[in-house]
mmCIF file of all heavy atoms in Angstrom:
data_model
loop_
_atom_site.group_PDB
_atom_site.id
_atom_site.type_symbol
_atom_site.label_atom_id
_atom_site.label_comp_id
_atom_site.label_asym_id
_atom_site.label_seq_id
_atom_site.Cartn_x
_atom_site.Cartn_y
_atom_site.Cartn_z
ATOM 1 N N ASP Y 64 -4.805 7.786 21.711
ATOM 2 C CA ASP Y 64 -4.316 8.324 22.972
ATOM 3 C C ASP Y 64 -3.436 9.540 22.665
ATOM 4 O O ASP Y 64 -2.407 9.408 22.015
ATOM 5 C CB ASP Y 64 -3.511 7.246 23.713
ATOM 6 C CG ASP Y 64 -3.146 7.642 25.119
ATOM 7 O OD1 ASP Y 64 -3.171 8.854 25.430
ATOM 8 O OD2 ASP Y 64 -2.825 6.758 25.915
ATOM 9 N N LEU Y 65 -3.865 10.702 23.134
ATOM 10 C CA LEU Y 65 -3.081 11.917 22.908
ATOM 11 C C LEU Y 65 -2.335 12.323 24.174
ATOM 12 O O LEU Y 65 -1.733 13.399 24.222
ATOM 13 C CB LEU Y 65 -4.000 13.058 22.459
ATOM 14 C CG LEU Y 65 -4.880 12.766 21.243
ATOM 15 C CD1 LEU Y 65 -5.732 13.972 20.900
ATOM 16 C CD2 LEU Y 65 -4.037 12.373 20.048
ATOM 17 N N LEU Y 66 -2.389 11.449 25.167
ATOM 18 C CA LEU Y 66 -1.775 11.783 26.448
ATOM 19 C C LEU Y 66 -0.446 11.077 26.620
ATOM 20 O O LEU Y 66 0.529 11.647 27.101
ATOM 21 C CB LEU Y 66 -2.737 11.368 27.571
ATOM 22 C CG LEU Y 66 -2.710 12.219 28.824
ATOM 23 C CD1 LEU Y 66 -3.136 13.637 28.528
ATOM 24 C CD2 LEU Y 66 -3.635 11.612 29.869
ATOM 25 N N ASP Y 67 -0.405 9.826 26.184
ATOM 26 C CA ASP Y 67 0.778 9.001 26.371
ATOM 27 C C ASP Y 67 1.762 9.281 25.255
ATOM 28 O O ASP Y 67 1.386 9.356 24.083
ATOM 29 C CB ASP Y 67 0.353 7.532 26.355
ATOM 30 C CG ASP Y 67 1.438 6.625 26.888
ATOM 31 O OD1 ASP Y 67 2.410 7.136 27.458
ATOM 32 O OD2 ASP Y 67 1.286 5.398 26.754
ATOM 33 N N HIS Y 68 3.039 9.420 25.570
ATOM 34 C CA HIS Y 68 4.042 9.724 24.551
ATOM 35 C C HIS Y 68 4.325 8.499 23.693
ATOM 36 O O HIS Y 68 4.529 7.423 24.231
ATOM 37 C CB HIS Y 68 5.333 10.170 25.234
ATOM 38 C CG HIS Y 68 6.354 10.686 24.275
ATOM 39 N ND1 HIS Y 68 6.220 11.896 23.622
ATOM 40 C CD2 HIS Y 68 7.493 10.146 23.817
ATOM 41 C CE1 HIS Y 68 7.260 12.086 22.839
ATOM 42 N NE2 HIS Y 68 8.049 11.033 22.926
ATOM 43 N N PRO Y 69 4.328 8.635 22.341
ATOM 44 C CA PRO Y 69 4.547 7.471 21.471
ATOM 45 C C PRO Y 69 5.929 6.861 21.661
ATOM 46 O O PRO Y 69 6.923 7.571 21.613
ATOM 47 C CB PRO Y 69 4.403 8.046 20.061
ATOM 48 C CG PRO Y 69 3.718 9.351 20.210
ATOM 49 C CD PRO Y 69 4.069 9.859 21.576
ATOM 50 N N ARG Y 98 -1.119 6.390 19.219
ATOM 51 C CA ARG Y 98 -0.699 7.472 20.107
ATOM 52 C C ARG Y 98 -0.078 8.563 19.246
ATOM 53 O O ARG Y 98 0.723 8.267 18.362
ATOM 54 C CB ARG Y 98 0.333 6.971 21.136
ATOM 55 C CG ARG Y 98 -0.247 5.994 22.151
ATOM 56 C CD ARG Y 98 0.800 5.486 23.116
ATOM 57 N NE ARG Y 98 1.820 4.704 22.450
ATOM 58 C CZ ARG Y 98 2.746 3.992 23.104
ATOM 59 N NH1 ARG Y 98 2.764 4.002 24.430
ATOM 60 N NH2 ARG Y 98 3.657 3.309 22.441
ATOM 61 N N PHE Y 99 -0.483 9.780 19.485
ATOM 62 C CA PHE Y 99 0.054 10.906 18.726
ATOM 63 C C PHE Y 99 0.580 11.973 19.678
ATOM 64 O O PHE Y 99 0.016 12.202 20.745
ATOM 65 C CB PHE Y 99 -1.029 11.538 17.835
ATOM 66 C CG PHE Y 99 -1.417 10.694 16.663
ATOM 67 C CD1 PHE Y 99 -2.565 9.931 16.697
ATOM 68 C CD2 PHE Y 99 -0.617 10.666 15.526
ATOM 69 C CE1 PHE Y 99 -2.920 9.147 15.614
ATOM 70 C CE2 PHE Y 99 -0.973 9.885 14.439
ATOM 71 C CZ PHE Y 99 -2.124 9.125 14.477
ATOM 72 N N ARG Y 102 1.212 17.998 21.214
ATOM 73 C CA ARG Y 102 1.373 19.083 22.185
ATOM 74 C C ARG Y 102 1.746 20.409 21.530
ATOM 75 O O ARG Y 102 1.397 21.470 22.011
ATOM 76 C CB ARG Y 102 2.432 18.706 23.220
ATOM 77 C CG ARG Y 102 2.002 17.570 24.114
ATOM 78 C CD ARG Y 102 2.945 17.373 25.298
ATOM 79 N NE ARG Y 102 2.693 16.083 25.907
ATOM 80 C CZ ARG Y 102 3.371 14.980 25.631
ATOM 81 N NH1 ARG Y 102 4.375 15.022 24.769
ATOM 82 N NH2 ARG Y 102 3.078 13.831 26.213
#
Side-chain angles (χ1 to χ4, degrees):
Chain Y
D64 189 341
L65 306 180
L66 212 63
D67 195 11
H68 188 71
R98 292 178 296 190
F99 288 100
R102 292 191 195 95

